Amino acid sequence: MWSRQRGRLKPLCCGVEELRCRRREREAALRKARREQQLVSKRLLRDEALEEAEEGCVAMIFGEAEIQQFLRLAQRGTEEKEREGALVSLRRGLQRPETQQTFIRLEGSIRTLVGLLTSNQALLQLEAARCLHELSHSEQSAVVEACLPATSYLLTYLSGHSSDFISPHLTVLEALGYALSQLLQAKEAPEKIIPSVLGSTLPQHMLQLLQPGPKLNLGVAVEFAWCLHYIICSQVNNALLITQGALSTLGLLLLDLAGAVQRTEDAGLELLACPVFRCLSNLLTEAAAEAVGGQLQLRDERVVAALFILLQFLLQKQPSLLPEGLWLLNNLTANSPSFCTSLLSLDLIEPLLHLLSVSNVVSVLVLTVLCNVAEKGPAYCQRLWPGPLLSSLLDTLAFSDTEVVGQSLELLQLLFLYQPGAAQAFLQQSGLQALQRHEEVAQLQDRVHALQQTALHG
Amino acid sequence: MQLPPALHARLAGAPGSAEPLPVERDPAARTAPFRFAPRPVRFPREHDFFEEGDVQRHLYLQDVLTQVGGAPERPRVPEFTCQVAGCCQVFDALEDYEHHYHTLHRNVCSFCKRAFPSGHLLDTHILEWHDSLFQILAERQDMYQCLVEGCTEKFRTSRDRKEHLVMRHLYPVDFRFDKPRKSRGPVMPGAAEQVLAEAPGDDGVPSEVDAMEVCSEHVEPPPAPAGERRAYSHREMELVSFSCPRTVAQNLA
């Protein structure tokens, strides 16, 4: 089903350029869908991928008797092909909401499915996982909720087998993670689904599956990281997750990712980096993220090192994900003198400045992080000076984007305040002229004038 | 974006945090019109900030799920088949497919459909097989070019050329090129070079049958043994003397 081999694609029946073009079209369609709040995996993926593949095959509505028959065959059929076939037929039927309803109301149906999922027959497991996958796609919340109790059990079962990870297990695990991520995206998830998830052993299992180490499987980790993201950004009870060690697990995973990125050219690591950034960043905003004394629970400066290695990787591989990485950097440094000091002592200011030309969003974030450092006082500004910072600021003052310029002005003010000689150097490098062009801009004028005054009169 | 070399060492080093520099804020810092205050930012699920990452996630899922949603009547094939007419090779990795395609389908003679491992060999084949002028010229002068790129030797007959390949370039004597093997024995180890057709009764005059066949051997892929993950035959790799598929794919990329 899912595979970590990136090579598993459709047959190449067209050239590379055409593939690129199609991908751009798909991206545009997805963006549009998201803006219209239609980007729910289930609907879109069904519409495009599955419908296309099943063109001309109309799924049947099965009644109770038929479903029972399929389940019976699957469980007790004599030939493997026959058992597999029964599940395939069932799966097709489960594309219809009527069949889904019937299925969940049938006593023991989910239990049977779970049994098949945990059997030791790989092909049956996979087909059963596909059935679960269909159910998790359901638009009907009742169906989706019916699957939930199964998930906990499944995770227990599968985690229990982690010592002998064989391929079908991993595939089923990945499928399970995906199915769960669908459930968690449901409209009613924050009220109905997430509280039950948080009340179960699921979070602990999920965190276990995200532990770095030799047993970490990328495909599985990606699915469960996204699950965690949907839970966290719904903000139901993040404090609980923190007590279960989410911050520390995710921090270690970030380190592991940075290590992996250095070792291989493996495509796909950004698929894991993205949800990890999101989970960490959002968790860091929780009050519980701070232990006694106002210090962050997450304190290891290797996290900063890892983040920069990942930023460099993203710059090459997927620059559109840079803002998410920088968002994490902001949340790490905002209230942490320690992390700000790390940025300085690890010589990361210059690499940060290199990102200033990527995009306006990225520039604003970079400048914000620099402000986080500078606002902590003279000891910090001293370490920002002299260096390339001033010329970078003069560059950003030439941007037309108001937010970029605004953030540059804030940083300048901090430098003028805390670093003797900064204003002088600014004047000498034609800083006043750089400021002048923004004198008439409504959002900027006051700050421009204030800086001009400071520069000239101290 | 150049990272300081010590950074990688730091990542591999011990956990720890920097001793923070002293914090000393001046109240003038946050005075109007300036308003910067450091703060961790939180984004809810639907926020626009997540658009890009969500799109990438969905692209990935779309790619993956086209495998899952296959029509049930067909046998489930996680692998895919080469789309070229008459080729039934099966793959489960893109790199292998690329290698296969470049090896067997890319340099194809449009006249007779034989496939060649390289453009050079294809050109030579077309010249010797499908160019009538070649036949005429070959009666008078040495036209059979050595197959090894960079070697400028030319020969009167394909047999002479073969001898040269064997003596000079150490080609195995009993190599065959293209023609389906009469015996279905396994390919000899080290039989990685191109094969020359043995033309019995070659009297120096090239005929349709005797003309050198500059073709790669198109071997019927053996049925993959049960449990073997790769449905792709290693033999084909050996035939075109590449060391490993990944290298080839990279070279041909």
Side-chain angles (χ1 to χ4, degrees), chain A residues 45-79:
Chain A
L45 295 164
R46 167 179 297 292
D47 290 348
E48 297 206 24
L50 302 182
E51 227 87 290
E52 205 179 288
E54 308 235 343
E55 220 173 307
C57 314
V58 180
M60 310 262 289
I61 301 182
F62 293 131
E64 268 196 22
E66 282 146 325
I67 295 179
Q68 273 176 325
Q69 171 73 336
F70 287 135
L71 287 174
R72 211 174 293 131
L73 258 176
Q75 264 187 313
R76 302 183 211 143
T78 43
E79 277 203 43

Side-chain angles (χ1 to χ4, degrees), chain A residues 226-252:
Chain A
W226 279 95
C227 287
L228 210 53
H229 161 61
Y230 294 130
I231 294 176
I232 291 173
C233 69
S234 303
Q235 267 135 29
V236 173
N237 189 356
N238 290 338
L240 177 64
L241 288 170
I242 294 177
T243 62
Q244 291 176 339
L247 272 173
S248 118
T249 301
L250 290 165
L252 289 171

Side-chain angles (χ1 to χ4, degrees), chain A residues 1-2 4-9 11 23 26-27 30-31 34-35 39 41 45 48 50 53-54 88 92 123 130 133 174 178 181 184-185 222-223 226 233-235 255 258 262 271 278 282 285-286 299-302 305-306 308-309 312 315 318 320-321 323-324 327 330-331 334-335 337-338 341-342 346-347 351 371-372 375-380 407 409-410 413 417-418 446-447 450-451, chain B residues 1-4 6-83 92-98 101 229 246:
Chain A
M1 221 162 98
W2 285 261
R4 282 324 308 147
Q5 285 179 25
R6 297 300 291 148
R8 292 201 178 205
L9 298 176
R23 189 182 171 93
R26 283 161 63 203
E27 272 192 39
L30 287 170
R31 269 199 198 96
R34 196 187 185 279
R35 283 177 199 164
L39 192 74
S41 317
L45 295 164
E48 297 206 24
L50 302 182
E54 308 235 343
V88 166
R92 284 189 62 209
L123 291 177
R130 282 169 146 171
H133 168 107
E174 197 175 337
Y178 171 75
S181 75
L184 292 168
Q185 281 183 87
V222 166
E223 297 311 313
W226 279 95
C233 69
S234 303
Q235 267 135 29
L255 299 186
Q262 286 177 101
L271 295 166
R278 294 181 180 194
N282 268 333
T285 66
E286 300 287 334
R299 259 169 293 193
D300 193 340
E301 81 173 346
R302 292 179 304 168
F308 269 80
I309 289 168
Q312 183 191 51
L315 185 60
Q318 192 76 61
S320 60
L321 290 179
E324 303 214 16
W327 168 39
N330 173 71
N331 285 13
N335 292 328
S338 174
T341 306
S342 295
L346 293 173
D347 271 322
C371 285
N372 286 349
E375 72 86 30
K376 294 189 171 43
Y380 293 78
Q407 209 61 32
L409 298 177
E410 297 285 345
Q413 188 246 2
L417 190 57
Y418 293 133
D446 294 339
R447 290 180 283 177
L451 283 173
Chain B
M1 185 195 185
Q2 283 275 61
L3 293 176
L7 197 69
H8 305 273
R10 183 64 196 95
L11 181 69
S17 55
E19 188 55 48
L21 293 165
V23 177
E24 206 186 308
R25 293 187 178 98
D26 188 324
R30 279 180 216 184
T31 326
F34 297 97
R35 43 202 186 247
F36 176 78
R39 58 179 191 98
V41 174
R42 166 189 290 194
F43 289 120
R45 184 196 300 216
E46 285 308 322
H47 202 281
D48 285 349
F49 187 77
F50 288 151
E51 178 180 296
E52 200 49 55
D54 284 354
V55 166
Q56 296 307 322
R57 159 77 171 159
H58 283 80
L59 279 172
Y60 161 71
L61 288 176
Q62 281 178 344
D63 283 342
V64 152
L65 286 167
T66 47
Q67 303 289 311
V68 175
E73 287 88 17
R74 290 201 305 272
R76 188 170 53 84
V77 279
E79 298 96 352
F80 58 84
T81 317
C82 179
Q83 295 292 301
D92 65 358
L94 183 61
E95 288 144 355
D96 298 341
Y97 177 73
E98 276 180 355
Y101 184 87
R229 272 176 10 99
R246 189 167 175 83

